[in-house]
Amino acid sequence: MTDPEIETFPSPDALAAAVAGRLVVRLAAIQAAGRTPSIALTGGTVAVKIHQAVVTATEGHEDVDWGNVDIWWGDERYLPEEDPERNAGQAWDAMLSHLDVSPGRVHEMPASDGPHDSVQEAAEAYGETLRSRGGEGFDVVMLGLGPDGHVASLFPGSAQLDVRDAVAVAVTDSPKPPPERVSLTFGALNRTAEVWFVVTGTGKAGAVAQALATGDDAADVHDLPAVGVHGRDATVWFLDEEAASKLG
Ligand SMILES: O=C(O)[C@H](O)[C@@H](O)[C@H](O)[C@H](O)COP(=O)(O)O
């Protein structure tokens, strides 16, 4: 497991621009090597800033063919398709609708008014799609961080943290509204070359410090799910100064 890389920025906007710039460079390099990149987006307010910055970064980087990128999500709120709280809708509004993506390569998690009768069925269906279309895993998984250390919709003390035999799981009691969600499991999130945590604000500083603590101070994954996710080649923490404020 590689040591975490910590990148600190003066503001959320600076963080978003840096993440967006690194993403387009990474995608272009993978495509130049003849592969179709595969990324997993996150939900949350930092993600929206990043999505907006990706549009700007793409304008300055002609080499990215967004039609040849597989786009997945790490989690989704199990709401009707048009609900403004859905991570996919927010990504389409801020980024995807401004890029030449291939709809067949944008893999949204199912909505509650979709073809499935329950969030459990929706999770199983998404897991099957990822198993069949997800190839060798992701090149980049982006993750926001909750003040409680949750990532995707994997929350402290939840049973989903110990699920090993599924790619995606249903959550019905999320402490962060809405209660019903679909989330990738640790097994799926960790099938990635790089994990990028994107975190801003003093409210997350404690969780960041706990997640990066080592030795006897290292957090248990059941208390702080973020420690359960690592990239094969890199685990990068993109932090603004507030989120980094409790690091030694
Ligand atoms: O669907 C979600 O809510 C997320 O995927 C969740 O894991 C989010 O990324 C964190 O809670 C951070 O959210 P903020 O960036 O808004 O604090």
Side-chain angles (χ1 to χ4, degrees):
M1 190 185 317
T2 56
D3 290 337
E5 177 188 328
I6 300 171
E7 307 280 349
T8 305
F9 300 90
S11 68
D13 287 342
L15 179 153
V19 172
R22 186 159 173 168
L23 180 64
V24 295
V25 166
R26 184 102 184 82
L27 297 179
I30 292 166
Q31 289 176 341
R35 282 201 306 110
T36 296
S38 179
I39 62 176
L41 302 179
T42 182
T45 52
V46 183
V48 171
K49 273 190 176 295
I50 290 167
H51 296 162
Q52 292 164 339
V54 166
V55 177
T56 306
T58 298
E59 284 157 6
H61 202 293
E62 302 306 317
D63 299 345
V64 183
D65 172 7
W66 276 97
N68 186 30
V69 179
D70 273 314
I71 298 163
W72 304 85
W73 274 264
D75 76 326
E76 182 59 276
R77 296 91 181 264
Y78 192 60
L79 296 166
E81 179 72 30
E82 296 308 315
D83 191 300
E85 285 304 304
R86 275 190 40 95
N87 293 335
Q90 292 179 7
W92 274 107
D93 291 346
M95 175 171 71
L96 302 176
S97 60
H98 304 280
L99 301 172
D100 293 332
V101 295
S102 299
R105 287 190 180 279
V106 179
H107 310 284
E108 297 184 21
M109 288 182 164
S112 60
D113 55 357
H116 307 293
D117 294 334
S118 69
V119 62
Q120 285 78 9
E121 270 190 35
E124 286 160 20
Y126 197 75
E128 279 315 305
T129 302
L130 184 53
R131 279 186 201 281
S132 62
R133 303 277 309 274
E136 300 307 308
F138 303 113
D139 293 289
V140 176
V141 166
M142 261 186 258
L143 289 170
L145 178 74
D148 59 357
H150 78 257
V151 290
S153 289
L154 299 174
F155 293 92
S158 67
Q160 290 83 355
L161 299 175
D162 294 315
V163 172
R164 296 283 180 270
D165 59 351
V167 168
V169 285
V171 175
T172 57
D173 56 354
S174 168
K176 176 179 182 182
E180 287 198 316
R181 293 154 169 262
V182 174
S183 182
L184 295 189
T185 57
F186 282 131
L189 291 171
N190 285 319
R191 284 190 73 225
T192 183
E194 301 193 12
V195 169
W196 298 359
F197 292 102
V198 291
V199 195
T200 65
T202 48
K204 314 294 181 68
V208 167
Q210 285 181 62
L212 289 167
T214 56
D216 293 343
D217 297 329
D220 182 89
V221 66
H222 295 91
D223 301 327
L224 200 91
V227 304
V229 190
H230 305 277
R232 208 174 35 251
D233 302 334
T235 300
V236 189
W237 288 80
F238 294 90
L239 307 171
D240 73 352
E241 286 170 359
E242 291 186 353
S245 59
K246 290 185 176 172
L247 292 179

